Amino acid sequence: EPVVSYIVRSLHHILKEHFNKDDGFANPSVTVLDPAAGTLTFLAEAAKLAVDEFASKYGKGGKEKFIKEHVLKNFYAFELMMAPYAVGHLKMSFLLEELGYRLHDDDRFKLYLTNTLHMEELAQTALPGMASLSEESHMAGKVKKEQPILVILGNPPYSGHSSNVGEWISKEIKAYFQVDGKPLREKNPKWLQDDYVKFIRFAQWKIDEAGEGVLGFITNHSYLDNPTFRGMRQSLMNSFDEVYICDLHGNSLKKEKCPDGSKDENVFDIQQGVAVALFIKKKDLKKKISHSELWGVRERKYDWLNNHDIKTTKWKRINPKPEFYLFIPRDEGLLKQYDTYFKITDIFPVNSVGIVTARDGFVIDNNIESLKRRIRMFRDEKMPDEIIRQTFKLNDTSKFKLKEARKAVKKDDDWERAITKILYRPFDTQWIFYHDAAIERSRPEVMQHMMQENLGLILAKRYSVGDYNYVFIGDTLVEGHVLSGQLGITYLFPLYIYKSHKKLESKKKRRPFTFDRAWLLFEDEAEYLVKKPNISPELMEHFTMTFKKTPTPEQILYYIYAVLYSNIYRTKYAEFLKIDFPRIPFTKDYKIFSRMAGYGERLVHLHLLKSSELDRPIARFQGMGDNKVEKLRYENGRLYINKEQYFEGIQPEVWEYQIGGYHVCEKWLKDRKGRCLSLEEITLYCKVVTVIAKNIEIQKDIDYIYIDIEKETVHF
């Protein structure tokens, strides 16, 4: 109710101030629509406010006629579900009776049973019970297509997997799939298909059709700053003259906390954070976008909402700019500086998202022999398709057909060569059957370079939870969720790219492996792979001119890696790192560059578990038992994997340390739950704990150097 009250009172004020409707909702020319009405909570509040406004100004004598000729005539609502539709009618009839009007036989409140996002009307029919539904659909259709609406308000549904895929809304939502006249080019724009986004689009379309109007919604707040919604934000800026956003936060999925670190709660019993949107379209208004935000526990937010409206809210003017058009404030001075740094995609031009198998449980395994047994069974002609399907849970999809996949793998006599290593999660290298017949998205154009000796920088394009820590390194193939779980896809930036050259004389002498090429001899012809740095020539030229020497590609990668592990860098540029790939500040001083690269090299070797610093791990495995990972329990520096056995020497800051979306110490063992750890896994885990402890120390050392970097930074 406090949310509803805030929105309704704000709209009441907007009608008076911007539309010359001195009576607000009580003005006889004001039309109102709730397109996702539920049980009419918003329209009930608007009706009460309208009646109170009329009675306080003109007396109670005309109240009954006012309700009949204005509220029943100009207040509209749509609802899809039968139960809230029925309750809504009852609720409104009781409310109107309380306000002084009893519905007559020829009266009805204009709440229609319809799907707001479908323009097609139900066909007329004489079937029992269906005639009334088609009549509802017809009346709703007239409101959608013909009736100008001045005020649209409500709380549309949130559904990431919308079932509203009708022709009309599918066409209209395309307005959000472009920005600055160009396609979004998002790898996964599915969030633009959320129902709340479609309801905003419907309201925007309806107000655009009328030429003026005001929208008051409370919705999921993801569209305010998520880059996927940049086309939506630009479209809303083009349609509306004044935009007011009051972000109520409360996003438990993002683990939101108040700026002072205290608890932040949602105003609803949901995980997604929410925001109030008040959008005004009116000629002669200057374009203006304002932002406000409310943090704290629920009761504090309720109290504030009950005592404020758009007029008393402290708004901050913002100026959304290309390319993201963010509906949140940001430090423009800091952004100007940050934008002069080299973007990671410009440094490493060849890059791609990681591999997505769509069937990890079948094509990936930590045990190579176990994986081979599965593939042999898959190839076995005696095994019926249905047995294979049920055994390995391999359902057909638009890209994968079991029968065709089996046929392709059976034909491949050299199938074992497709089994190779893949970085699955931080410090968790497994085996993959890297075969196009079995994998959904193999990314061969980039992954081919990781089949040779190489290093690959692993990043997330953006992040949404906690602090920025979406950085890792790999020297094998890389799975698409190494860092980010279900929160987003991971990108790979190989240090080197390999190009194949053939048709050389086979008698040519074999040359040893050098910096830039390796010789491979075959019976009939020779093939050599040219190894080139995947680094911008412009950047290499800059280094040569600035340092009077050319650093190696490895040094450049190490330097970048160290910068990305600087806590100062991560904190300072947090709001920009949330929305796009990182940009890297490069120092003019070779000594600083070299020192930073040295720390980056240490981190890389540690993260690849190839460092001599791991010869004496700080963790120990203690207790007698079968080494089975059962229930994890951490206390006093010990991590119990079962009742009797534990790893000791794990400090709290190590236990809490995150890489990407994972608490590494916990995640690594959770992925082995129900299994008995091998000796190799025990020693590996002890090393992982050691890596994290040393990582924390190195990050502190990096910060001392990073301070000097920004004093002598090159601006591009």
Side-chain angles (χ1 to χ4, degrees), residues 93-147:
S93 67
F94 291 146
L95 172 66
L96 294 179
E97 198 167 324
E98 286 178 20
L99 295 174
Y101 186 85
R102 181 186 289 273
L103 289 172
H104 301 102
D105 290 342
D106 60 342
D107 288 330
R108 74 161 283 173
F109 187 79
K110 292 179 177 177
L111 165 60
Y112 299 121
L113 190 67
T114 185
N115 185 332
T116 301
L117 303 177
H118 285 200
M119 287 295 160
E120 303 81 6
E121 296 179 23
L122 291 176
Q124 294 291 330
T125 178
L127 289 172
M130 293 300 291
S132 58
L133 287 179
S134 61
E135 178 64 18
E136 288 276 304
S137 176
H138 176 66
M139 290 188 290
K142 291 189 71 173
V143 178
K144 293 177 192 177
K145 299 170 187 175
E146 301 172 20
Q147 175 64 56

Side-chain angles (χ1 to χ4, degrees), residues 5 55 74 128 133 145 186 260 380 413 422 588:
S5 175
N74 293 324
L133 287 179
K145 299 170 187 175
E186 284 287 317
D260 64 3
D380 190 346
D413 294 330
I422 185 169
K588 296 177 182 177

